Amino acid sequence: MTASTPEPRRILLIIHAMSAGGAERVCSVLANAWAARGDVVTIATLSAPGEPSFFPLDAAVTQVSLGADGDPGPALRALGAVGRNVARIRAIRRAMRDARPDIALSFMDVTNVLTIIASQGTGIPVIATEHIDPSQHDIGALWTTLRRRAYSHVARLAVLSDRALDYFPADIRRRSIVMPNPIGLPPARQQASCSGRGNARTVVAMGRMTSQKGFDLLLDAFALVAGAHPEWSLEIWGEGPLRAELELRAQAPDLAGRVRFPGTTNDAYGVLRAADLYVLSSRYEGFPMVLCEAMASGLPVISFDCRTGPREIIRDGVDGVLVPPEDVGGLAAQLNRLMADARSRDDLARRAPEICDRFGVTRVLARWDDLFQEIL
């Protein structure tokens, strides 16, 4: 067996839910790619039975909903949060017993901890995957301590960048690997000239409407330049707890009628192909999939240079533009420049799809196969 032509394996992926998020998107891409080549792939979610995946899954992928987020039952109910987590651990252990995987992947910090505990004594190697900057994403003192202890017993920890890896102590770094997210080709890998789409222009952003995504900063930056570019509008796709606050902010006189909030979409590539410019305004990130998908769609992109993520993806000035973190004035200046200059947008857009060569599914899967071979 070689890394390029691996034998079929039984792979179990464990994630909280298959909702609209970056980690969930990665889970679906990996599951579909492994199933398509003949591996036996199961996705186990902690969510309620019957809850569908937001992202399409290959018919060969088995999705199992463990229903471990509800009532843990009378025996554990009195224990509160502890009881709920004991129930989750038991459910994950049952999923491992039923799927009989050669290897298990868990997604995101808390689910990683629960999966590592559930795997003890099973002989099943677990690869825990982090999908956010751990130095910025606060999971609380208790879970931080549990994560530190659990990761000392994991087969491997996969993180998205060297800077994310630096967060962990030396003993965990020694059992870790930097593994980028895989980027699938858009349905039609065609680039339309930004100068040939009529007079209307659209800046687009996507993500969950939380403080992390920095849409408030994007609205502030767009407000500074909107008056100079009346043909441009802003679309912010997604849902979340800050939607009402953002909508209220968008009613300010310098933004009124210029910002749309269309909701969520499972056709991100369709939305991106219809846009003229993509902006990632996050305060922190992991390895943002939607930024990669925007570049794969042939869009010029602007991003805050978060501690982790965008710098690993964008080659500044070549296929995108990096702005100092949370610098609203700097973001406005780059918006103003690119909104006014179709040639600069086209220059960036022409190189942007090279992201698919650097982080394409085939290349990233080969790295996963090397890791599987090393562990097994």
Side-chain angles (χ1 to χ4, degrees):
M1 182 177 75
T2 67
S4 59
T5 57
E7 295 176 359
R9 296 189 176 96
R10 301 181 68 88
I11 304 172
L12 174 63
L13 300 96
I14 303 161
I15 191 166
H16 183 266
M18 285 299 289
S19 51
E24 294 87 344
R25 177 65 173 142
V26 174
C27 183
S28 71
V29 170
L30 289 174
N32 289 341
W34 283 323
R37 74 180 189 187
D39 291 318
V40 179
V41 180
T42 301
I43 297 177
T45 67
L46 300 180
S47 53
E51 184 174 307
S53 171
F54 182 83
F55 299 103
L57 295 176
D58 189 289
V61 174
T62 300
Q63 182 178 350
V64 178
S65 299
L66 303 179
D69 261 356
D71 189 337
L76 296 172
R77 192 179 300 137
L79 297 176
V82 173
R84 286 194 297 274
N85 286 310
V86 169
R88 289 170 177 168
I89 291 167
R90 288 179 175 177
I92 293 170
R93 194 172 179 90
R94 286 195 301 271
M96 290 179 164
R97 179 196 63 203
D98 294 341
R100 296 179 291 109
D102 299 309
I103 201 157
L105 272 70
S106 60
F107 289 76
M108 300 296 286
D109 33 47
V110 171
T111 303
N112 290 342
V113 173
L114 299 174
T115 300
I116 294 165
I117 295 172
S119 71
Q120 297 306 296
T122 66
I124 298 170
V126 172
I127 301 174
T129 66
E130 286 272 348
H131 290 268
I132 200 70
D133 181 355
S135 72
Q136 302 293 316
H137 185 60
D138 183 14
I139 59 174
L142 175 60
W143 283 107
T144 298
T145 299
L146 291 173
R147 177 174 61 183
R148 168 67 179 82
R149 294 178 179 177
Y151 284 3
S152 297
H153 299 281
V154 75
R156 288 293 185 279
L157 170 65
V159 299
L160 295 168
S161 68
D162 289 325
R163 279 174 283 186
L165 186 60
D166 288 342
Y167 169 82
F168 295 102
D171 63 317
I172 293 176
R173 293 200 301 270
R174 284 193 291 270
R175 59 176 65 239
S176 301
I177 185 172
V178 175
M179 184 72 74
N181 287 337
I183 309 305
L185 288 174
R189 192 177 177 183
Q190 298 175 349
Q191 174 194 339
S193 170
C194 294
S195 59
R197 298 180 183 173
N199 292 326
R201 299 279 183 259
T202 305
V203 178
V204 69
M206 285 186 183
R208 182 163 166 75
M209 293 183 179
T210 62
S211 177
Q212 179 210 337
K213 296 301 181 181
F215 293 138
D216 56 324
L217 306 177
L218 174 56
L219 287 171
D220 289 348
F222 189 72
L224 293 175
V225 301
H229 304 279
E231 74 279 17
W232 284 82
S233 61
L234 172 62
E235 287 183 355
I236 301 178
W237 289 78
E239 295 289 351
L242 296 185
R243 176 170 181 137
E245 179 181 319
L246 294 170
E247 287 178 327
L248 183 62
R249 200 181 194 112
Q251 293 174 16
D254 45 6
L255 289 174
R258 304 289 298 278
V259 184
R260 297 188 295 274
F261 297 90
T264 58
T265 178
N266 57 10
D267 183 21
Y269 278 128
V271 171
L272 294 167
R273 285 198 303 268
D276 297 273
L277 180 62
Y278 182 82
V279 177
L280 187 135
S281 54
S282 298
R283 290 178 165 88
Y284 61 94
E285 274 292 347
F287 193 97
M289 288 288 283
V290 68
L291 177 63
C292 297
E293 290 169 344
M295 295 172 69
S297 299
L299 269 183
V301 300
I302 305 173
S303 174
F304 281 142
D305 188 12
C306 310
R307 181 179 175 273
T308 66
R311 181 164 290 276
E312 283 77 26
I313 296 166
I314 292 175
R315 297 170 295 183
D316 191 25
V318 175
D319 52 18
V321 176
L322 292 171
V323 176
E326 301 184 47
D327 181 354
V328 170
L331 178 56
Q334 291 302 328
L335 278 169
N336 186 61
R337 179 176 73 86
L338 291 181
M339 289 160 71
D341 189 349
R343 182 172 181 177
S344 292
R345 297 198 305 271
D346 282 342
D347 286 345
L348 295 174
R350 186 167 50 252
R351 300 293 300 274
E354 294 172 10
I355 191 76
C356 296
D357 301 321
R358 294 189 287 133
F359 302 113
V361 173
T362 301
R363 176 167 292 189
V364 174
L365 248 63
R367 295 178 63 171
W368 277 108
D369 287 332
D370 289 342
L371 180 59
F372 287 173
Q373 176 117 347
E374 178 185 334
I375 291 172
L376 296 176

